[in-house]
Amino acid sequence: MRNKEKFIVILKPDGFRRKLIGKIINRFEEKGFDILDIKTETLSVKILEEHYVHLKEKVFFQDIVDYMTSGPVVIIAMEGLNGIEAARMLAGSTNSAQADPGSIRGTWALTIDENVIHVSDSVENGEHEYIRFF
Ligand code: CMP
């Protein structure tokens, strides 16, 4: 089945600080995804409380907010065949220590908290996140 899906990738503040923007966008482009929109901004607490509402009760919630507001991020809307599944494979496991060595997190990250990128985890969330960020 050939399904074109839209999704959001956020290059997190550690990736931005480490000058990984070009390398990470290149990985998605080489995989075959199309870039629909792209922008740089420092995220507000308000938008993060909405984006991470499912994690609000977690002990690490404030740490995520502090980290995600610690500097600029790059928000990229992309589209591609089987986009969500393929993009999440390219990103690698959320816990970077367990990420496939060929994946983005497997290449550039070691931990679960500073894991370089966020990728939408479902078609529905991809659509919601597109509206939220663009
Ligand atoms: P992300 O894909 O942005 O979605 C939720 C984020 O929460 C996740 O990436 C991680 O960065 C973060 N996260 C998940 N589990 C933990 C944890 N145990 N400790 C700290 N951060 C976490």
Side-chain angles (χ1 to χ4, degrees):
M1 183 80 155
R2 293 166 69 84
N3 287 327
K4 259 197 168 186
E5 296 169 354
K6 292 186 174 65
F7 57 96
I8 294 293
V9 173
I10 303 176
L11 176 71
K12 298 183 177 185
D14 59 313
F16 191 100
R17 279 192 283 272
R18 291 161 63 199
K19 303 190 188 300
L20 295 177
I21 301 171
K23 287 182 178 140
I24 286 176
I25 290 176
N26 189 244
R27 295 291 298 272
F28 283 96
E29 287 195 316
E30 282 184 335
K31 183 74 179 169
F33 295 118
D34 294 320
I35 292 180
L36 305 176
D37 271 306
I38 184 164
K39 65 178 176 181
T40 296
E41 68 181 46
T42 301
L43 296 174
S44 66
V45 172
K46 185 172 177 289
I47 205 166
L48 286 165
E49 282 179 343
E50 198 183 302
H51 181 62
Y52 286 132
V53 68
H54 58 294
L55 300 176
K56 194 126 180 65
E57 304 307 321
K58 300 282 188 191
V59 288
F60 54 82
F61 180 74
Q62 190 57 47
D63 292 337
I64 297 180
V65 173
D66 290 347
Y67 159 55
M68 290 297 287
T69 55
S70 68
V73 300
V74 180
I75 308 166
I76 313 147
M78 300 194 203
E79 182 177 62
L81 293 172
N82 301 314
I84 307 279
E85 183 187 7
R88 290 183 68 81
M89 285 294 290
L90 189 58
S93 293
T94 302
N95 184 353
S96 309
Q98 294 163 3
D100 185 288
S103 68
I104 288 171
R105 289 171 178 147
T107 304
W108 286 296
L110 281 172
T111 63
I112 195 167
D113 49 351
E114 299 203 359
N115 60 1
V116 190
I117 56 169
H118 164 81
V119 180
S120 308
D121 63 4
S122 67
V123 173
E124 191 186 7
N125 281 340
E127 286 165 5
H128 287 158
E129 290 174 10
Y130 201 155
I131 292 163
R132 179 173 305 134
F133 291 107
F134 285 96

